[in-house]
Amino acid sequence: MNGKKGNCCIQINIPSSATKAGKKSGGNGFSCKAWIWDVWEFCKEDSNRVLFSFKVGLAVLLVSLLILFEAPYVVFGTNIIWSILTVAIMFEYTVGATFNRGFNRALGSLLAGILAIIVAQFAIRAGRIAEPFIIGASIFLIGTLTSFIKQWPSFVPYEYGFRVVLFTFCLIIVSGYRVGNPIKTSMDRLYSIAIGGFVAVFVNVLVFPMWAGEQLHQELVKGFNAVADSLEECVKKYLEDEESEHPEFTKNVMDDFPDEPAYKKCRTTLNSAAKLESLAGAAKWEPPHGRFRHFFYPWSEYVKVGAVLRYCAYEVMALHGVLHSEIQAPYNLRSTFGSEIREAANQAAKLVKSLGEDIRVMKRSQKNPLIKKVHSSTEKLQRAIDTHSYLLTSISETPDTFSRPSLPSKLSLSLSSTPYDFSSQLANLDSNNQEKDSNPTTQNIPLGTLPLPRTESYHETMRKHSRRLHSWPSREVDAFEEEGSSNTDLLPRMAALESTAALSLATFTSLLIEFVARVDHLVEVVDKLSKMAKFKHEVS
């Protein structure tokens, strides 16, 4: 949908189905070269994906040798196929997830085997007539109980184990009924499952192991850097000249801003909750390894730190919302507080990056100097906003503005774009004095009285100001004139729009200050993590 501001109509372009099909197929149908390039990019993005695929292939090959060779097949028979199924089901991306899946598989298979043997012996002693009824009732009962219990909140992590109990029990009890020897059938399948589980764990641990704990550690560090980079990027673009083109948020419904690479990473951090929890759950099953060499490592604290970091990312995304909003403060007003905003954002981003670096190298460093700098820069921004808050309430109230004593030079620049500009008043005063010399009727005007600006020149000033100001609603001065509004109605409405635009700067600064407040909480949870994980103290 393409629309232009200030127009009364909106043009809607609906692409044809042929155009959509052409885009999907690249215009020339399937391209083998493009497909190979996509696969290459996918593999280069994460090389562990290729390693994982090769490891699964190796594990399946090893258990298949038990079938390909005659001796193992003679011992286990067709039940050896269960070892292949176990590898395919158990083998997970990380070592911790494989251990977790293996535990559920082993416990579920053992419990199902025991139950199947008990029920089978009871059914055999009941006689040939009652045996199928007992087996059918036991299958119904086991299916009902396992499906109900796995929904209980405390047993949700073991949901896979209950599924294993269900299908293993059904397969053993039914096949035992037909074969006639349920105990031998159960034992052979348990042996096959044990062989498959051992091969899966052996390959996953010894061949290029991918530890869930290490991945959790790296993901958290990436989140810190993404939030800090996105904050710096957002503030930098907000303080840029308004003449530079920014993509509008309303037109980018997919939040795709090509000129903001850190924005995408920050958005990924917001969606990392499920991934961090999954990695933390898998890491609990892993033995001490690498840099994480002590038992009962506090993986749950990583999830807590990630939660606080996401709250900081929420503030950064809100700042991006202000950056791409329809209501924008004038550039000269933004530049008035530019140094304070930039200093506060840079110091906060520096602190966040420092916290991420401490987690990456697993050390505890002194953060008091950085925290003091962040608080000092934030207080400076607050004082600037409090002292000159009148600039954020109504930028067109010149009488109050001029009554303020001793304005700094940079703040005086913010008043240059107001309708009642002091320099323009002096120019009007000079022109009126010249007219007064030529017109006798103006001789009676008292000295020191500033004549009111003419309506026509005021409209010209407001038209230029409206083009430069990204205000809402997005209408030029001509649009107001076409509606037949009187001059008395036009002035308050334009002043209200300017005041609303100026308040967007107050929104941006308040969100930045709130971000700093949440960073203080982030410092606390990182310090708690460093103590529980026994990070090394930095040698000064």
Side-chain angles (χ1 to χ4, degrees):
M1 181 174 68
N2 299 327
K4 293 184 178 180
K5 298 179 181 178
N7 294 339
C8 59
C9 61
I10 299 176
Q11 180 181 1
I12 302 177
N13 297 326
I14 302 178
S16 61
S17 58
T19 304
K20 293 181 180 179
K23 289 183 178 180
K24 290 182 179 180
S25 61
N28 297 322
F30 177 76
S31 176
C32 182
K33 182 178 180 181
W35 180 79
I36 294 175
W37 179 257
D38 291 339
V39 173
W40 173 256
E41 291 294 330
F42 179 78
C43 297
K44 191 169 63 173
E45 183 180 351
D46 187 1
S47 59
N48 289 333
R49 296 167 177 168
V50 181
L51 293 176
F52 170 72
S53 303
F54 280 114
K55 288 165 62 176
V56 174
L58 176 61
V60 174
L61 174 61
L62 291 177
V63 295
S64 299
L65 295 177
L66 299 177
I67 301 177
L68 298 177
F69 293 152
E70 185 177 358
Y73 186 77
V74 172
V75 175
F76 297 101
T78 57
N79 290 321
I80 197 63
I81 196 66
W82 282 67
S83 60
I84 300 178
L85 296 177
T86 301
V87 170
I89 295 174
M90 248 185 71
F91 210 102
E92 291 291 334
Y93 191 80
T94 61
V95 175
T98 301
F99 273 111
N100 185 12
R101 185 63 68 94
F103 173 80
N104 283 273
R105 176 72 172 171
L107 186 61
S109 299
L110 181 62
L111 181 61
I114 295 175
L115 290 176
I117 293 175
I118 295 175
V119 172
Q121 292 297 323
F122 180 77
I124 291 175
R125 293 185 179 184
R128 297 296 298 176
I129 299 177
E131 183 179 2
F133 294 98
I134 295 176
I135 292 177
S138 64
I139 293 175
F140 173 79
L141 183 61
I142 293 297
T144 303
L145 289 177
T146 54
S147 299
F148 177 79
I149 296 176
K150 71 180 182 180
Q151 300 178 64
W152 197 266
S154 302
F155 296 101
V156 169
Y158 309 100
E159 184 266 343
Y160 172 71
F162 288 102
R163 281 192 290 153
V164 170
V165 171
L166 177 59
F167 72 75
T168 303
F169 175 83
C170 293
L171 292 176
I172 291 177
I173 196 71
V174 171
S175 61
Y177 172 75
R178 288 302 179 184
V179 174
N181 193 351
I183 297 179
K184 185 178 184 304
T185 302
S186 301
M187 296 306 298
D188 289 344
R189 294 190 177 183
L190 288 178
Y191 290 146
S192 300
I193 292 173
I195 293 173
F198 175 79
V199 171
V201 172
F202 179 82
V203 173
N204 208 345
V205 173
L206 298 183
V207 181
F208 299 104
M210 289 175 283
W211 303 98
E214 185 66 32
Q215 292 188 9
L216 175 62
H217 192 85
Q218 295 176 0
E219 286 293 329
L220 190 61
V221 173
K222 289 180 182 178
F224 276 86
N225 294 331
V227 171
D229 292 340
S230 184
L231 175 64
E232 292 178 334
E233 180 182 74
C234 178
V235 172
K236 178 183 177 181
K237 292 184 68 65
Y238 187 76
L239 298 178
E240 285 181 353
D241 189 358
E242 63 180 359
E243 295 181 356
S244 59
E245 296 182 357
H246 300 302
E248 295 183 11
F249 188 81
T250 54
K251 292 184 179 180
N252 292 271
V253 293
M254 298 303 294
D255 295 348
D256 185 17
F257 302 105
D259 57 338
E260 300 177 24
Y263 176 84
K264 184 177 181 180
K265 296 180 181 179
C266 185
R267 189 178 59 183
T268 304
T269 303
L270 291 178
N271 302 326
S272 63
K275 185 175 184 179
L276 294 181
E277 291 179 359
S278 176
L279 289 174
K284 294 178 181 178
W285 293 89
E286 295 177 347
H289 60 278
R291 298 182 293 175
F292 317 103
R293 298 180 179 177
H294 58 272
F295 291 93
F296 306 108
Y297 196 83
W299 298 115
S300 58
E301 291 299 318
Y302 279 78
V303 179
K304 295 179 181 179
V305 174
V308 179
L309 183 62
R310 283 195 302 275
Y311 278 106
C312 296
Y314 292 149
E315 297 297 330
V316 176
M317 299 299 286
L319 290 172
H320 274 278
V322 176
L323 171 63
H324 296 285
S325 64
E326 291 289 339
I327 303 175
Q328 290 293 337
Y331 168 69
N332 54 352
L333 185 58
R334 281 178 280 163
S335 61
T336 299
F337 303 94
S339 61
E340 289 84 0
I341 294 176
R342 187 178 292 104
E343 182 181 359
N346 291 341
Q347 293 297 335
K350 185 177 180 181
L351 177 58
V352 173
K353 288 183 178 180
S354 178
L355 293 173
E357 181 64 17
D358 284 355
I359 295 178
R360 187 185 70 83
V361 299
M362 302 181 68
K363 70 176 182 179
R364 298 176 60 186
S365 61
Q366 293 295 330
K367 291 293 180 294
N368 291 333
L370 286 177
I371 295 175
K372 290 181 179 179
K373 289 181 180 180
V374 173
H375 290 173
S376 176
S377 59
T378 306
E379 291 174 359
K380 188 185 299 184
L381 174 60
Q382 286 180 312
R383 286 196 301 267
I385 296 297
D386 294 339
T387 305
H388 309 291
S389 59
Y390 57 91
L391 295 175
L392 304 178
T393 55
S394 180
I395 62 176
S396 61
E397 296 178 0
T398 308
D400 295 339
T401 303
F402 288 131
S403 63
R404 300 283 179 174
S406 64
L407 285 176
S409 58
K410 67 172 184 177
L411 290 177
S412 63
L413 294 176
S414 65
L415 304 176
S416 61
S417 65
T418 59
Y420 294 95
D421 187 27
F422 186 67
S423 59
S424 63
Q425 289 186 12
L426 292 179
N428 292 332
L429 179 61
D430 294 338
S431 62
N432 289 332
N433 287 337
Q434 293 177 2
E435 293 177 1
K436 181 177 64 176
D437 295 339
S438 60
N439 189 359
T441 59
T442 59
Q443 298 291 335
N444 296 328
I445 297 178
L447 295 175
T449 302
L450 294 177
L452 293 176
R454 292 178 298 177
T455 305
E456 184 177 358
S457 62
Y458 173 76
H459 284 184
E460 293 294 335
T461 303
M462 289 304 302
R463 184 178 289 107
K464 295 178 181 179
H465 179 68
S466 179
R467 292 193 185 99
R468 184 172 63 252
L469 177 64
H470 301 288
S471 61
W472 183 90
S474 303
R475 295 186 291 179
E476 302 288 347
V477 176
D478 294 337
F480 290 96
E481 295 174 353
E482 291 176 0
E483 293 178 359
S485 301
S486 60
N487 293 336
T488 57
D489 295 335
L490 174 63
L491 302 183
R493 292 173 65 184
M494 293 301 297
L497 291 178
E498 294 170 10
S499 178
T500 303
L503 285 176
S504 66
L505 177 62
T507 302
F508 190 88
T509 54
S510 63
L511 289 173
L512 181 58
I513 294 173
E514 177 65 21
F515 176 84
V516 174
R518 296 193 177 188
V519 169
D520 290 340
H521 190 197
L522 187 62
V523 173
E524 295 177 1
V525 294
V526 171
D527 183 67
K528 182 179 179 181
L529 171 63
S530 63
K531 292 179 180 178
M532 297 183 65
K534 300 179 181 179
F535 287 175
K536 296 181 180 180
H537 286 275
E538 184 181 25
V539 179
S540 56

